[in-house]
Amino acid sequence: QVQLVESGGTLVQPGGSLRLSCTASGFNLEGYSVGWFRQAPGQEEHEGISSISSNGESKYYVDSLKGRFTIARDNSKNTVYLQMSNLKPEDTARYYCAAKQVATMTVLKEVTDYDYWGQGTQVTVSS
């Protein structure tokens, strides 16, 4: 069964850090571009925040998050990570990862670009 599972979300204080994980099961994540999206409370849209090419050499970040979030992948662990630092209350959201099999250097940014989605992990930034 093809599945993406996000983990690492929790309650964190403003200024804190978290690392989210997106682990694939049922397929080899190598060869897939992976993206992170988030859905804020009360919002219907998923905001694309970061993505990484299948070989890890191309990365995308939404401008508003550059410098605070870092995406990385470990294909040996079938996992993509999102390291988040200096978290703010406005980062509170449910975070999702998504994957699509694409050419090596391709980075995908849109919700409609992806074939597989996880169920999400909740990040709450509050004091």
Side-chain angles (χ1 to χ4, degrees):
Q1 181 180 2
V2 172
Q3 198 172 12
L4 290 172
V5 178
E6 302 93 337
S7 61
T10 190
L11 172 65
V12 61
Q13 291 188 345
S17 298
L18 278 179
R19 188 179 76 163
L20 305 183
S21 299
C22 171
T23 301
S25 63
F27 70 105
N28 189 345
L29 203 54
E30 189 171 2
Y32 284 75
S33 176
V34 176
W36 283 97
F37 295 79
R38 66 184 183 184
Q39 185 179 32
Q43 300 295 317
E44 290 190 6
E45 291 184 355
H46 288 66
E47 177 190 15
I49 57 177
S50 184
S51 56
I52 189 168
S53 62
S54 61
N55 64 359
E57 293 185 8
S58 296
K59 300 176 183 179
Y60 159 78
Y61 299 97
V62 67
D63 286 345
S64 61
L65 297 178
K66 283 181 180 177
R68 293 198 299 124
F69 287 17
T70 303
I71 193 169
R73 67 189 301 155
D74 185 343
N75 286 340
S76 69
K77 295 182 178 179
N78 229 21
T79 299
V80 171
Y81 303 98
L82 185 69
Q83 179 70 45
M84 308 185 295
S85 62
N86 191 21
L87 284 163
K88 305 175 181 181
E90 52 264 41
D91 294 319
T92 295
R94 191 162 185 85
Y95 285 71
Y96 298 85
C97 67
K100 180 179 176 66
Q101 190 171 26
V102 291
T104 304
M105 297 296 290
T106 302
V107 173
L108 304 175
K109 303 175 184 179
E110 305 296 331
V111 168
T112 52
D113 290 336
Y114 291 92
D115 293 331
Y116 302 114
W117 289 81
Q119 294 300 305
T121 185
Q122 180 65 36
V123 173
T124 302
V125 184
S126 175
S127 56

